[in-house]
Amino acid sequence: MTFFVKNLQTVDGLISNLYRDISVEEMTRKITGLFELQGYKVIDQQFGNLILEKGSRIKRLLLGAFTTYYKFSVTMMPGAENELTVNVFQQSSGMSGGLIGMNQIKTELQRLNFIFANI
Protein backbone atom coordinates (compact mmCIF):
# COMPACT_ATOMS: atom_id res chain seq x y z
CA MET A 1 0.00 0.00 0.00
CA THR A 2 1.39 3.38 -0.95
CA PHE A 3 0.85 6.32 1.35
CA PHE A 4 1.93 8.90 -1.23
CA VAL A 5 -0.76 11.44 -2.15
CA LYS A 6 1.03 14.06 -4.26
CA ASN A 7 4.19 16.00 -4.87
CA LEU A 8 3.84 19.47 -3.38
CA GLN A 9 7.03 20.98 -4.75
CA THR A 10 10.17 19.98 -6.60
CA VAL A 11 12.84 22.63 -7.11
CA ASP A 12 16.63 22.56 -7.15
CA GLY A 13 17.68 20.86 -3.95
CA LEU A 14 14.20 20.30 -2.50
CA ILE A 15 11.49 17.66 -2.78
CA SER A 16 8.26 18.11 -0.83
CA ASN A 17 5.67 15.30 -0.78
CA LEU A 18 2.34 14.76 0.93
CA TYR A 19 1.43 11.40 2.49
CA ARG A 20 -1.73 10.15 4.18
CA ASP A 21 -2.45 7.54 6.88
CA ILE A 22 1.16 7.16 8.06
CA SER A 23 2.79 8.37 11.27
CA VAL A 24 6.19 10.03 11.63
CA GLU A 25 7.53 6.93 13.40
CA GLU A 26 6.30 4.56 10.70
CA MET A 27 7.68 6.79 7.92
CA THR A 28 11.01 6.97 9.75
CA ARG A 29 11.16 3.15 9.85
CA LYS A 30 10.27 2.89 6.15
CA ILE A 31 12.87 5.47 5.09
CA THR A 32 15.54 3.94 7.31
CA GLY A 33 14.97 0.42 6.00
CA LEU A 34 14.72 1.49 2.37
CA PHE A 35 17.81 3.67 2.31
CA GLU A 36 20.05 1.41 4.40
CA LEU A 37 19.48 -1.26 1.73
CA GLN A 38 20.80 1.22 -0.84
CA GLY A 39 24.01 1.93 1.07
CA TYR A 40 22.96 5.10 2.84
CA LYS A 41 23.84 5.77 6.44
CA VAL A 42 20.66 7.03 8.10
CA ILE A 43 21.07 9.25 11.15
CA ASP A 44 17.88 9.71 13.15
CA GLN A 45 17.88 13.09 14.88
CA GLN A 46 14.46 12.47 16.49
CA PHE A 47 11.20 14.34 15.93
CA GLY A 48 11.00 13.42 12.23
CA ASN A 49 14.44 14.68 11.24
CA LEU A 50 16.79 12.35 9.38
CA ILE A 51 20.14 12.71 7.65
CA LEU A 52 20.81 10.44 4.66
CA GLU A 53 24.50 10.13 3.79
CA LYS A 54 26.24 7.92 1.26
CA GLY A 55 29.95 7.78 0.51
CA SER A 56 32.85 9.67 2.01
CA ARG A 57 33.19 13.44 2.09
CA ILE A 58 36.98 13.22 2.41
CA LYS A 59 37.29 10.90 -0.59
CA ARG A 60 35.06 13.27 -2.56
CA LEU A 61 37.36 16.18 -1.72
CA LEU A 62 40.46 14.21 -2.69
CA LEU A 63 39.20 12.32 -5.75
CA GLY A 64 36.41 14.57 -7.00
CA ALA A 65 33.77 12.99 -9.23
CA PHE A 66 35.56 9.62 -9.20
CA THR A 67 33.98 8.80 -5.85
CA THR A 68 30.43 9.05 -4.52
CA TYR A 69 29.21 11.39 -1.81
CA TYR A 70 25.58 12.34 -1.23
CA LYS A 71 24.05 14.02 1.79
CA PHE A 72 20.36 14.85 2.19
CA SER A 73 18.23 15.89 5.15
CA VAL A 74 14.66 14.73 5.60
CA THR A 75 12.11 16.56 7.71
CA MET A 76 8.62 15.29 8.46
CA MET A 77 5.75 17.47 9.63
CA PRO A 78 2.38 16.02 10.63
CA GLY A 79 -0.63 17.93 9.35
CA ALA A 80 -4.38 17.93 9.60
CA GLU A 81 -6.56 14.97 8.65
CA ASN A 82 -3.86 12.34 9.26
CA GLU A 83 -1.50 13.84 6.66
CA LEU A 84 2.29 13.98 6.71
CA THR A 85 4.51 16.36 4.74
CA VAL A 86 7.99 15.04 3.98
CA ASN A 87 10.68 17.44 2.76
CA VAL A 88 14.00 16.23 1.34
CA PHE A 89 16.76 18.85 1.19
CA GLN A 90 20.05 18.55 -0.65
CA GLN A 91 22.90 19.11 1.83
CA SER A 92 25.89 18.69 -0.48
CA SER A 93 26.23 20.66 -3.70
CA GLY A 94 28.61 18.32 -5.47
CA MET A 95 30.98 21.22 -6.14
CA SER A 96 33.94 19.19 -4.92
CA GLY A 97 33.30 16.89 -7.91
CA GLY A 98 33.10 19.76 -10.39
CA LEU A 99 30.36 19.86 -13.01
CA ILE A 100 30.22 16.07 -13.09
CA GLY A 101 29.70 15.98 -9.31
CA MET A 102 26.96 18.59 -9.48
CA ASN A 103 25.17 16.56 -12.16
CA GLN A 104 25.55 13.42 -10.04
CA ILE A 105 23.76 15.18 -7.16
CA LYS A 106 20.92 16.33 -9.45
CA THR A 107 20.53 12.83 -10.83
CA GLU A 108 20.47 11.32 -7.34
CA LEU A 109 17.85 13.86 -6.24
CA GLN A 110 15.64 12.84 -9.18
CA ARG A 111 16.08 9.19 -8.19
CA LEU A 112 15.13 10.04 -4.60
CA ASN A 113 12.03 11.82 -5.87
CA PHE A 114 10.95 8.59 -7.58
CA ILE A 115 11.69 6.50 -4.48
CA PHE A 116 9.78 8.83 -2.15
CA ALA A 117 6.82 8.86 -4.56
CA ASN A 118 6.57 5.07 -4.21
CA ILE A 119 6.41 4.94 -0.41
Side-chain angles (χ1 to χ4, degrees):
M1 175 180 170
T2 60
F3 301 97
F4 178 77
V5 175
K6 66 180 178 177
N7 179 276
L8 298 173
Q9 183 178 20
T10 302
V11 294
D12 283 345
L14 167 69
I15 300 168
S16 184
N17 291 332
L18 182 66
Y19 298 87
R20 182 166 285 136
D21 299 327
I22 189 167
S23 67
V24 172
E25 295 80 16
E26 189 177 354
M27 181 63 88
T28 299
R29 285 192 301 273
K30 283 189 172 293
I31 291 171
T32 301
L34 190 62
F35 282 94
E36 283 180 348
L37 287 174
Q38 297 180 33
Y40 276 88
K41 181 172 78 171
V42 181
I43 303 164
D44 187 354
Q45 298 182 320
Q46 301 299 322
F47 308 111
N49 295 314
L50 303 171
I51 300 291
L52 306 174
E53 191 171 27
K54 183 176 186 177
S56 169
R57 174 90 177 125
I58 293 170
K59 285 183 183 177
R60 180 64 155 212
L61 289 170
L62 294 173
L63 301 173
F66 296 110
T67 188
T68 300
Y69 179 73
Y70 304 120
K71 185 174 182 180
F72 300 96
S73 66
V74 178
T75 60
M76 293 174 255
M77 296 172 288
E81 299 176 21
N82 208 18
E83 293 179 339
L84 181 67
T85 303
V86 177
N87 297 311
V88 181
F89 300 97
Q90 173 184 322
Q91 293 295 316
S92 63
S93 66
M95 288 285 253
S96 55
L99 288 176
I100 294 171
M102 291 169 62
N103 282 331
Q104 287 172 341
I105 293 286
K106 285 182 183 179
T107 302
E108 183 67 6
L109 193 62
Q110 290 172 348
R111 191 178 80 80
L112 291 182
N113 192 13
F114 178 76
I115 291 170
F116 275 93
N118 287 305
I119 292 179

